[in-house]
mmCIF file of all heavy atoms in Angstrom:
data_model
loop_
_atom_site.group_PDB
_atom_site.id
_atom_site.type_symbol
_atom_site.label_atom_id
_atom_site.label_comp_id
_atom_site.label_asym_id
_atom_site.label_seq_id
_atom_site.Cartn_x
_atom_site.Cartn_y
_atom_site.Cartn_z
ATOM 1 N N MET A 209 0.827 -1.175 -0.023
ATOM 2 C CA MET A 209 -0.042 -0.018 -0.034
ATOM 3 C C MET A 209 0.893 1.211 -0.035
ATOM 4 O O MET A 209 1.825 1.401 0.750
ATOM 5 C CB MET A 209 -0.898 -0.027 1.238
ATOM 6 C CG MET A 209 -1.880 1.104 1.268
ATOM 7 S SD MET A 209 -2.976 0.806 2.664
ATOM 8 C CE MET A 209 -3.450 2.462 3.006
ATOM 9 N N ASP A 210 0.495 2.233 -0.841
ATOM 10 C CA ASP A 210 1.326 3.475 -0.970
ATOM 11 C C ASP A 210 0.865 4.426 0.147
ATOM 12 O O ASP A 210 -0.254 4.857 0.124
ATOM 13 C CB ASP A 210 1.019 4.069 -2.350
ATOM 14 C CG ASP A 210 1.899 5.292 -2.575
ATOM 15 O OD1 ASP A 210 2.768 5.602 -1.770
ATOM 16 O OD2 ASP A 210 1.658 5.989 -3.601
ATOM 17 N N THR A 211 1.787 4.768 1.045
ATOM 18 C CA THR A 211 1.416 5.688 2.131
ATOM 19 C C THR A 211 2.170 7.010 1.968
ATOM 20 O O THR A 211 2.056 7.923 2.808
ATOM 21 C CB THR A 211 1.839 5.167 3.482
ATOM 22 O OG1 THR A 211 3.184 4.816 3.563
ATOM 23 C CG2 THR A 211 1.007 3.886 3.794
ATOM 24 N N ALA A 212 2.858 7.254 0.841
ATOM 25 C CA ALA A 212 3.552 8.489 0.572
ATOM 26 C C ALA A 212 2.594 9.645 0.412
ATOM 27 O O ALA A 212 1.508 9.471 -0.133
ATOM 28 C CB ALA A 212 4.445 8.341 -0.691
ATOM 29 N N VAL A 213 2.954 10.819 0.972
ATOM 30 C CA VAL A 213 2.122 11.979 0.812
ATOM 31 C C VAL A 213 2.409 12.584 -0.611
ATOM 32 O O VAL A 213 3.529 12.870 -0.922
ATOM 33 C CB VAL A 213 2.428 13.056 1.855
ATOM 34 C CG1 VAL A 213 1.672 14.332 1.616
ATOM 35 C CG2 VAL A 213 2.178 12.491 3.282
ATOM 36 N N ARG A 214 1.301 12.724 -1.333
ATOM 37 C CA ARG A 214 1.418 13.240 -2.677
ATOM 38 C C ARG A 214 1.214 14.755 -2.649
ATOM 39 O O ARG A 214 0.228 15.234 -2.120
ATOM 40 C CB ARG A 214 0.397 12.587 -3.634
ATOM 41 C CG ARG A 214 0.541 13.034 -4.991
ATOM 42 C CD ARG A 214 -0.324 12.286 -5.937
ATOM 43 N NE ARG A 214 -1.674 12.030 -5.387
ATOM 44 C CZ ARG A 214 -2.680 11.549 -6.063
ATOM 45 N NH1 ARG A 214 -2.533 11.322 -7.307
ATOM 46 N NH2 ARG A 214 -3.795 11.415 -5.501
ATOM 47 N N LYS A 215 2.118 15.483 -3.262
ATOM 48 C CA LYS A 215 2.014 16.941 -3.306
ATOM 49 C C LYS A 215 1.634 17.344 -4.746
ATOM 50 O O LYS A 215 2.316 16.925 -5.671
ATOM 51 C CB LYS A 215 3.315 17.602 -2.892
ATOM 52 C CG LYS A 215 3.279 19.102 -2.811
ATOM 53 C CD LYS A 215 4.540 19.740 -2.496
ATOM 54 C CE LYS A 215 5.109 19.364 -1.137
ATOM 55 N NZ LYS A 215 6.395 20.027 -0.834
ATOM 56 N N VAL A 216 0.612 18.135 -4.827
ATOM 57 C CA VAL A 216 0.135 18.643 -6.162
ATOM 58 C C VAL A 216 0.441 20.085 -6.192
ATOM 59 O O VAL A 216 0.124 20.850 -5.233
ATOM 60 C CB VAL A 216 -1.329 18.354 -6.386
ATOM 61 C CG1 VAL A 216 -1.809 18.957 -7.696
ATOM 62 C CG2 VAL A 216 -1.627 16.849 -6.315
ATOM 63 N N LYS A 217 1.072 20.568 -7.253
ATOM 64 C CA LYS A 217 1.372 21.993 -7.446
ATOM 65 C C LYS A 217 0.516 22.531 -8.533
ATOM 66 O O LYS A 217 0.254 21.812 -9.548
ATOM 67 C CB LYS A 217 2.827 22.191 -7.768
ATOM 68 C CG LYS A 217 3.826 21.800 -6.636
ATOM 69 C CD LYS A 217 5.236 21.968 -7.019
ATOM 70 C CE LYS A 217 6.137 21.504 -5.926
ATOM 71 N NZ LYS A 217 7.551 21.726 -6.279
ATOM 72 N N GLY A 218 0.149 23.834 -8.448
ATOM 73 C CA GLY A 218 -0.599 24.435 -9.517
ATOM 74 C C GLY A 218 -0.445 25.939 -9.536
ATOM 75 O O GLY A 218 0.223 26.485 -8.636
ATOM 76 N N GLN A 219 -0.924 26.590 -10.622
ATOM 77 C CA GLN A 219 -0.844 28.058 -10.673
ATOM 78 C C GLN A 219 -1.908 28.501 -11.613
ATOM 79 O O GLN A 219 -2.442 27.755 -12.445
ATOM 80 C CB GLN A 219 0.571 28.428 -11.151
ATOM 81 C CG GLN A 219 0.819 28.073 -12.614
ATOM 82 C CD GLN A 219 2.238 28.497 -13.009
ATOM 83 O OE1 GLN A 219 3.199 28.249 -12.320
ATOM 84 N NE2 GLN A 219 2.287 29.236 -14.156
ATOM 85 N N CYS A 220 -2.126 29.831 -11.522
ATOM 86 C CA CYS A 220 -3.118 30.428 -12.521
ATOM 87 C C CYS A 220 -2.340 30.582 -13.837
ATOM 88 O O CYS A 220 -1.126 30.266 -13.942
ATOM 89 C CB CYS A 220 -3.529 31.782 -11.986
ATOM 90 S SG CYS A 220 -2.230 33.035 -11.915
ATOM 91 N N ARG A 221 -3.092 30.973 -14.890
ATOM 92 C CA ARG A 221 -2.498 31.065 -16.213
ATOM 93 C C ARG A 221 -1.291 32.006 -16.295
ATOM 94 O O ARG A 221 -0.308 31.634 -16.964
ATOM 95 C CB ARG A 221 -3.599 31.610 -17.163
ATOM 96 C CG ARG A 221 -4.577 30.612 -17.586
ATOM 97 C CD ARG A 221 -5.602 31.217 -18.578
ATOM 98 N NE ARG A 221 -5.031 31.694 -19.767
ATOM 99 C CZ ARG A 221 -5.737 32.365 -20.625
ATOM 100 N NH1 ARG A 221 -6.860 32.779 -20.364
ATOM 101 N NH2 ARG A 221 -5.109 32.833 -21.756
ATOM 102 N N CYS A 222 -1.312 33.141 -15.592
ATOM 103 C CA CYS A 222 -0.136 34.044 -15.699
ATOM 104 C C CYS A 222 0.906 33.764 -14.706
ATOM 105 O O CYS A 222 2.056 34.324 -14.802
ATOM 106 C CB CYS A 222 -0.643 35.503 -15.543
ATOM 107 S SG CYS A 222 -1.161 35.873 -13.785
ATOM 108 N N GLY A 223 0.696 32.850 -13.760
ATOM 109 C CA GLY A 223 1.755 32.491 -12.848
ATOM 110 C C GLY A 223 1.847 33.358 -11.572
ATOM 111 O O GLY A 223 2.685 33.110 -10.715
ATOM 112 N N GLN A 224 1.003 34.347 -11.422
ATOM 113 C CA GLN A 224 1.066 35.254 -10.269
ATOM 114 C C GLN A 224 0.587 34.525 -9.005
ATOM 115 O O GLN A 224 1.036 34.858 -7.938
ATOM 116 C CB GLN A 224 0.141 36.474 -10.459
ATOM 117 C CG GLN A 224 0.642 37.413 -11.563
ATOM 118 C CD GLN A 224 1.888 38.159 -10.993
ATOM 119 O OE1 GLN A 224 1.876 38.770 -9.925
ATOM 120 N NE2 GLN A 224 2.938 38.159 -11.784
ATOM 121 N N VAL A 225 -0.354 33.556 -9.119
ATOM 122 C CA VAL A 225 -0.799 32.805 -7.935
ATOM 123 C C VAL A 225 -0.368 31.335 -8.121
ATOM 124 O O VAL A 225 -0.600 30.732 -9.167
ATOM 125 C CB VAL A 225 -2.376 32.873 -7.889
ATOM 126 C CG1 VAL A 225 -2.860 32.004 -6.730
ATOM 127 C CG2 VAL A 225 -2.815 34.330 -7.777
ATOM 128 N N LYS A 226 0.340 30.868 -7.126
ATOM 129 C CA LYS A 226 0.797 29.511 -7.111
ATOM 130 C C LYS A 226 0.379 28.806 -5.827
ATOM 131 O O LYS A 226 0.198 29.513 -4.760
ATOM 132 C CB LYS A 226 2.316 29.398 -7.286
ATOM 133 C CG LYS A 226 2.826 29.980 -8.505
ATOM 134 C CD LYS A 226 4.292 29.910 -8.652
ATOM 135 C CE LYS A 226 4.688 30.553 -10.037
ATOM 136 N NZ LYS A 226 6.111 30.511 -10.227
ATOM 137 N N PHE A 227 0.155 27.544 -5.846
ATOM 138 C CA PHE A 227 -0.275 26.789 -4.678
ATOM 139 C C PHE A 227 0.280 25.370 -4.670
ATOM 140 O O PHE A 227 0.699 24.842 -5.697
ATOM 141 C CB PHE A 227 -1.830 26.785 -4.535
ATOM 142 C CG PHE A 227 -2.430 26.068 -5.670
ATOM 143 C CD1 PHE A 227 -2.697 24.722 -5.607
ATOM 144 C CD2 PHE A 227 -2.857 26.728 -6.810
ATOM 145 C CE1 PHE A 227 -3.310 24.016 -6.723
ATOM 146 C CE2 PHE A 227 -3.449 26.161 -7.879
ATOM 147 C CZ PHE A 227 -3.678 24.760 -7.812
ATOM 148 N N GLU A 228 0.265 24.743 -3.482
ATOM 149 C CA GLU A 228 0.578 23.363 -3.298
ATOM 150 C C GLU A 228 -0.435 22.774 -2.393
ATOM 151 O O GLU A 228 -0.823 23.376 -1.376
ATOM 152 C CB GLU A 228 1.944 23.151 -2.647
ATOM 153 C CG GLU A 228 3.107 23.641 -3.474
ATOM 154 C CD GLU A 228 4.451 23.394 -2.780
ATOM 155 O OE1 GLU A 228 4.443 22.896 -1.678
ATOM 156 O OE2 GLU A 228 5.454 23.712 -3.381
ATOM 157 N N VAL A 229 -0.961 21.564 -2.653
ATOM 158 C CA VAL A 229 -1.842 20.888 -1.769
ATOM 159 C C VAL A 229 -1.383 19.409 -1.631
ATOM 160 O O VAL A 229 -0.738 18.872 -2.477
ATOM 161 C CB VAL A 229 -3.299 20.890 -2.314
ATOM 162 C CG1 VAL A 229 -3.858 22.255 -2.285
ATOM 163 C CG2 VAL A 229 -3.414 20.293 -3.683
ATOM 164 N N THR A 230 -1.694 18.898 -0.446
ATOM 165 C CA THR A 230 -1.383 17.487 -0.191
ATOM 166 C C THR A 230 -2.545 16.616 0.004
ATOM 167 O O THR A 230 -2.475 15.419 0.273
ATOM 168 C CB THR A 230 -0.483 17.361 1.043
ATOM 169 O OG1 THR A 230 -1.050 17.970 2.119
ATOM 170 C CG2 THR A 230 0.940 18.056 0.812
ATOM 171 N N SER A 231 -3.766 17.190 -0.044
ATOM 172 C CA SER A 231 -4.981 16.485 0.135
ATOM 173 C C SER A 231 -5.417 15.881 -1.293
ATOM 174 O O SER A 231 -4.945 16.272 -2.337
ATOM 175 C CB SER A 231 -6.132 17.354 0.617
ATOM 176 O OG SER A 231 -6.429 18.413 -0.278
ATOM 177 N N GLU A 232 -6.316 14.862 -1.214
ATOM 178 C CA GLU A 232 -6.829 14.322 -2.406
ATOM 179 C C GLU A 232 -7.892 15.306 -2.963
ATOM 180 O O GLU A 232 -8.527 16.049 -2.245
ATOM 181 C CB GLU A 232 -7.544 12.958 -2.104
ATOM 182 C CG GLU A 232 -6.589 11.894 -1.638
ATOM 183 C CD GLU A 232 -5.618 11.512 -2.740
ATOM 184 O OE1 GLU A 232 -6.075 11.381 -3.876
ATOM 185 O OE2 GLU A 232 -4.431 11.327 -2.424
ATOM 186 N N PRO A 233 -8.068 15.328 -4.294
ATOM 187 C CA PRO A 233 -9.041 16.219 -4.929
ATOM 188 C C PRO A 233 -10.486 15.839 -4.518
ATOM 189 O O PRO A 233 -10.716 14.642 -4.318
ATOM 190 C CB PRO A 233 -8.808 16.075 -6.435
ATOM 191 C CG PRO A 233 -8.074 14.797 -6.588
ATOM 192 C CD PRO A 233 -7.376 14.513 -5.255
ATOM 193 N N LEU A 234 -11.272 16.852 -4.346
ATOM 194 C CA LEU A 234 -12.744 16.605 -4.123
ATOM 195 C C LEU A 234 -13.390 16.046 -5.431
ATOM 196 O O LEU A 234 -14.245 15.202 -5.326
ATOM 197 C CB LEU A 234 -13.419 17.872 -3.722
ATOM 198 C CG LEU A 234 -12.954 18.478 -2.369
ATOM 199 C CD1 LEU A 234 -13.724 19.797 -2.149
ATOM 200 C CD2 LEU A 234 -13.203 17.551 -1.221
ATOM 201 N N ILE A 235 -13.011 16.595 -6.554
ATOM 202 C CA ILE A 235 -13.536 16.147 -7.798
ATOM 203 C C ILE A 235 -12.512 16.390 -8.909
ATOM 204 O O ILE A 235 -11.696 17.319 -8.867
ATOM 205 C CB ILE A 235 -14.829 16.939 -8.120
ATOM 206 C CG1 ILE A 235 -15.511 16.329 -9.381
ATOM 207 C CG2 ILE A 235 -14.620 18.411 -8.237
ATOM 208 C CD1 ILE A 235 -16.929 16.959 -9.600
ATOM 209 N N THR A 236 -12.527 15.549 -9.890
ATOM 210 C CA THR A 236 -11.717 15.744 -11.059
ATOM 211 C C THR A 236 -12.661 15.777 -12.284
ATOM 212 O O THR A 236 -13.654 15.101 -12.254
ATOM 213 C CB THR A 236 -10.648 14.653 -11.316
ATOM 214 O OG1 THR A 236 -11.338 13.386 -11.341
ATOM 215 C CG2 THR A 236 -9.639 14.712 -10.157
ATOM 216 N N MET A 237 -12.337 16.527 -13.251
ATOM 217 C CA MET A 237 -13.203 16.599 -14.482
ATOM 218 C C MET A 237 -12.406 17.080 -15.694
ATOM 219 O O MET A 237 -11.293 17.511 -15.565
ATOM 220 C CB MET A 237 -14.396 17.568 -14.225
ATOM 221 C CG MET A 237 -13.894 18.992 -13.903
ATOM 222 S SD MET A 237 -15.297 20.120 -13.657
ATOM 223 C CE MET A 237 -15.585 20.669 -15.278
ATOM 224 N N ALA A 238 -13.076 17.038 -16.836
ATOM 225 C CA ALA A 238 -12.480 17.542 -18.020
ATOM 226 C C ALA A 238 -13.518 18.493 -18.679
ATOM 227 O O ALA A 238 -14.648 18.053 -18.940
ATOM 228 C CB ALA A 238 -12.106 16.464 -18.998
ATOM 229 N N CYS A 239 -13.219 19.753 -18.841
ATOM 230 C CA CYS A 239 -14.081 20.752 -19.459
ATOM 231 C C CYS A 239 -13.910 20.793 -20.930
ATOM 232 O O CYS A 239 -12.760 20.853 -21.414
ATOM 233 C CB CYS A 239 -13.894 22.078 -18.766
ATOM 234 S SG CYS A 239 -15.212 23.311 -19.348
ATOM 235 N N HIS A 240 -14.964 20.857 -21.701
ATOM 236 C CA HIS A 240 -14.892 20.975 -23.161
ATOM 237 C C HIS A 240 -15.330 22.334 -23.678
ATOM 238 O O HIS A 240 -15.554 22.448 -24.851
ATOM 239 C CB HIS A 240 -15.846 19.854 -23.779
ATOM 240 C CG HIS A 240 -15.404 18.494 -23.301
ATOM 241 N ND1 HIS A 240 -14.738 17.644 -24.116
ATOM 242 C CD2 HIS A 240 -15.655 17.812 -22.158
ATOM 243 C CE1 HIS A 240 -14.538 16.481 -23.497
ATOM 244 N NE2 HIS A 240 -15.114 16.580 -22.301
ATOM 245 N N CYS A 241 -15.477 23.353 -22.816
ATOM 246 C CA CYS A 241 -15.986 24.621 -23.312
ATOM 247 C C CYS A 241 -14.978 25.322 -24.143
ATOM 248 O O CYS A 241 -13.755 24.951 -24.225
ATOM 249 C CB CYS A 241 -16.342 25.547 -22.141
ATOM 250 S SG CYS A 241 -15.013 26.401 -21.312
ATOM 251 N N VAL A 242 -15.374 26.289 -25.008
ATOM 252 C CA VAL A 242 -14.522 26.942 -25.966
ATOM 253 C C VAL A 242 -13.420 27.659 -25.189
ATOM 254 O O VAL A 242 -12.230 27.693 -25.675
ATOM 255 C CB VAL A 242 -15.319 27.940 -26.804
ATOM 256 C CG1 VAL A 242 -14.441 28.741 -27.712
ATOM 257 C CG2 VAL A 242 -16.346 27.148 -27.628
ATOM 258 N N GLY A 243 -13.702 28.305 -24.043
ATOM 259 C CA GLY A 243 -12.631 28.985 -23.335
ATOM 260 C C GLY A 243 -11.526 28.003 -22.873
ATOM 261 O O GLY A 243 -10.349 28.438 -23.040
ATOM 262 N N CYS A 244 -11.868 26.882 -22.388
ATOM 263 C CA CYS A 244 -10.844 25.895 -22.006
ATOM 264 C C CYS A 244 -10.153 25.349 -23.182
ATOM 265 O O CYS A 244 -8.918 25.037 -23.116
ATOM 266 C CB CYS A 244 -11.524 24.799 -21.178
ATOM 267 S SG CYS A 244 -11.980 25.348 -19.512
ATOM 268 N N GLN A 245 -10.831 25.192 -24.337
ATOM 269 C CA GLN A 245 -10.206 24.688 -25.522
ATOM 270 C C GLN A 245 -9.139 25.692 -25.956
ATOM 271 O O GLN A 245 -8.016 25.343 -26.449
ATOM 272 C CB GLN A 245 -11.197 24.480 -26.622
ATOM 273 C CG GLN A 245 -12.049 23.241 -26.323
ATOM 274 C CD GLN A 245 -13.153 22.994 -27.389
ATOM 275 O OE1 GLN A 245 -13.429 23.952 -28.133
ATOM 276 N NE2 GLN A 245 -13.772 21.925 -27.283
ATOM 277 N N LYS A 246 -9.436 27.023 -25.922
ATOM 278 C CA LYS A 246 -8.489 28.041 -26.295
ATOM 279 C C LYS A 246 -7.227 28.102 -25.304
ATOM 280 O O LYS A 246 -6.111 28.274 -25.768
ATOM 281 C CB LYS A 246 -9.149 29.414 -26.304
ATOM 282 C CG LYS A 246 -10.094 29.559 -27.445
ATOM 283 C CD LYS A 246 -10.752 30.952 -27.517
ATOM 284 C CE LYS A 246 -11.649 31.112 -28.688
ATOM 285 N NZ LYS A 246 -12.241 32.419 -28.731
ATOM 286 N N ILE A 247 -7.527 27.966 -24.016
ATOM 287 C CA ILE A 247 -6.465 27.996 -23.031
ATOM 288 C C ILE A 247 -5.402 26.878 -23.277
ATOM 289 O O ILE A 247 -4.216 27.068 -23.210
ATOM 290 C CB ILE A 247 -6.981 27.930 -21.585
ATOM 291 C CG1 ILE A 247 -7.718 29.207 -21.236
ATOM 292 C CG2 ILE A 247 -5.889 27.668 -20.567
ATOM 293 C CD1 ILE A 247 -8.561 29.092 -19.933
ATOM 294 N N THR A 248 -6.016 25.678 -23.506
ATOM 295 C CA THR A 248 -5.079 24.516 -23.611
ATOM 296 C C THR A 248 -4.702 24.155 -25.014
ATOM 297 O O THR A 248 -3.909 23.289 -25.255
ATOM 298 C CB THR A 248 -5.723 23.267 -23.012
ATOM 299 O OG1 THR A 248 -7.030 23.085 -23.720
ATOM 300 C CG2 THR A 248 -6.104 23.555 -21.536
ATOM 301 N N ALA A 249 -5.381 24.854 -26.074
ATOM 302 C CA ALA A 249 -5.160 24.501 -27.410
ATOM 303 C C ALA A 249 -5.394 22.976 -27.714
ATOM 304 O O ALA A 249 -4.697 22.377 -28.397
ATOM 305 C CB ALA A 249 -3.775 24.921 -27.911
ATOM 306 N N SER A 250 -6.453 22.451 -27.002
ATOM 307 C CA SER A 250 -6.817 21.086 -27.218
ATOM 308 C C SER A 250 -8.283 20.911 -27.034
ATOM 309 O O SER A 250 -8.985 21.921 -26.772
ATOM 310 C CB SER A 250 -6.083 20.220 -26.124
ATOM 311 O OG SER A 250 -6.512 20.465 -24.843
ATOM 312 N N ALA A 251 -8.783 19.736 -27.159
ATOM 313 C CA ALA A 251 -10.238 19.487 -27.136
ATOM 314 C C ALA A 251 -10.809 19.588 -25.709
ATOM 315 O O ALA A 251 -11.995 19.833 -25.567
ATOM 316 C CB ALA A 251 -10.523 18.128 -27.720
ATOM 317 N N LEU A 252 -9.959 19.378 -24.671
ATOM 318 C CA LEU A 252 -10.465 19.425 -23.337
ATOM 319 C C LEU A 252 -9.429 19.936 -22.352
ATOM 320 O O LEU A 252 -8.251 19.989 -22.635
ATOM 321 C CB LEU A 252 -10.995 18.038 -22.941
ATOM 322 C CG LEU A 252 -10.062 16.885 -23.018
ATOM 323 C CD1 LEU A 252 -9.234 16.709 -21.776
ATOM 324 C CD2 LEU A 252 -10.790 15.604 -23.407
ATOM 325 N N PHE A 253 -9.932 20.285 -21.178
ATOM 326 C CA PHE A 253 -9.033 20.784 -20.155
ATOM 327 C C PHE A 253 -9.253 20.041 -18.797
ATOM 328 O O PHE A 253 -10.214 20.167 -18.097
ATOM 329 C CB PHE A 253 -9.336 22.314 -19.882
ATOM 330 C CG PHE A 253 -8.514 22.948 -18.826
ATOM 331 C CD1 PHE A 253 -7.204 22.648 -18.641
ATOM 332 C CD2 PHE A 253 -9.116 23.892 -17.939
ATOM 333 C CE1 PHE A 253 -6.460 23.300 -17.641
ATOM 334 C CE2 PHE A 253 -8.338 24.483 -16.979
ATOM 335 C CZ PHE A 253 -7.034 24.201 -16.835
ATOM 336 N N PRO A 254 -8.377 19.094 -18.586
ATOM 337 C CA PRO A 254 -8.529 18.314 -17.321
ATOM 338 C C PRO A 254 -8.225 19.159 -16.138
ATOM 339 O O PRO A 254 -7.231 19.963 -16.159
ATOM 340 C CB PRO A 254 -7.536 17.167 -17.483
ATOM 341 C CG PRO A 254 -6.535 17.660 -18.468
ATOM 342 C CD PRO A 254 -7.184 18.605 -19.338
ATOM 343 N N ASN A 255 -9.014 19.102 -15.097
ATOM 344 C CA ASN A 255 -8.765 19.886 -13.884
ATOM 345 C C ASN A 255 -9.312 19.174 -12.639
ATOM 346 O O ASN A 255 -10.104 18.209 -12.752
ATOM 347 C CB ASN A 255 -9.324 21.272 -13.979
ATOM 348 C CG ASN A 255 -10.824 21.355 -14.272
ATOM 349 O OD1 ASN A 255 -11.634 21.040 -13.328
ATOM 350 N ND2 ASN A 255 -11.236 21.604 -15.507
ATOM 351 N N ALA A 256 -8.870 19.623 -11.461
ATOM 352 C CA ALA A 256 -9.264 19.054 -10.171
ATOM 353 C C ALA A 256 -9.558 20.153 -9.223
ATOM 354 O O ALA A 256 -8.970 21.223 -9.270
ATOM 355 C CB ALA A 256 -8.140 18.171 -9.682
ATOM 356 N N THR A 257 -10.460 19.854 -8.268
ATOM 357 C CA THR A 257 -10.898 20.862 -7.259
ATOM 358 C C THR A 257 -10.469 20.281 -5.950
ATOM 359 O O THR A 257 -10.764 19.122 -5.616
ATOM 360 C CB THR A 257 -12.435 20.993 -7.277
ATOM 361 O OG1 THR A 257 -12.844 21.562 -8.497
ATOM 362 C CG2 THR A 257 -12.834 22.005 -6.108
ATOM 363 N N PHE A 258 -9.694 21.124 -5.159
ATOM 364 C CA PHE A 258 -9.224 20.732 -3.873
ATOM 365 C C PHE A 258 -9.755 21.613 -2.726
ATOM 366 O O PHE A 258 -10.085 22.752 -3.014
ATOM 367 C CB PHE A 258 -7.718 20.878 -3.792
ATOM 368 C CG PHE A 258 -6.944 19.915 -4.678
ATOM 369 C CD1 PHE A 258 -6.727 20.241 -6.011
ATOM 370 C CD2 PHE A 258 -6.497 18.648 -4.224
ATOM 371 C CE1 PHE A 258 -6.023 19.384 -6.815
ATOM 372 C CE2 PHE A 258 -5.857 17.839 -5.005
ATOM 373 C CZ PHE A 258 -5.583 18.145 -6.300
ATOM 374 N N LEU A 259 -9.995 21.064 -1.556
ATOM 375 C CA LEU A 259 -10.369 21.835 -0.396
ATOM 376 C C LEU A 259 -9.117 22.439 0.230
ATOM 377 O O LEU A 259 -8.203 21.699 0.557
ATOM 378 C CB LEU A 259 -11.061 20.942 0.601
ATOM 379 C CG LEU A 259 -11.713 21.630 1.781
ATOM 380 C CD1 LEU A 259 -12.823 22.572 1.332
ATOM 381 C CD2 LEU A 259 -12.346 20.571 2.720
ATOM 382 N N LEU A 260 -9.023 23.786 0.254
ATOM 383 C CA LEU A 260 -7.785 24.433 0.767
ATOM 384 C C LEU A 260 -7.970 24.837 2.249
ATOM 385 O O LEU A 260 -8.993 25.094 2.684
ATOM 386 C CB LEU A 260 -7.466 25.642 -0.061
ATOM 387 C CG LEU A 260 -7.195 25.352 -1.575
ATOM 388 C CD1 LEU A 260 -6.866 26.684 -2.304
ATOM 389 C CD2 LEU A 260 -6.008 24.418 -1.654
HETATM 390 ZN ZN1 LIG B 562 -14.268 25.243 -19.655
#
């Protein structure tokens, strides 16, 4: 069984806001809206929501 603490790092698009979390995400999803397609230059934008 893996008991290592996993650290997830993230930031906003411009990099002004950065964060690290060690909790598991509340939800993960992939958004297909046009805004997310433009941001990622792909068909979808995978993301996760964490309780901070
Ligand atoms: Zn979206």
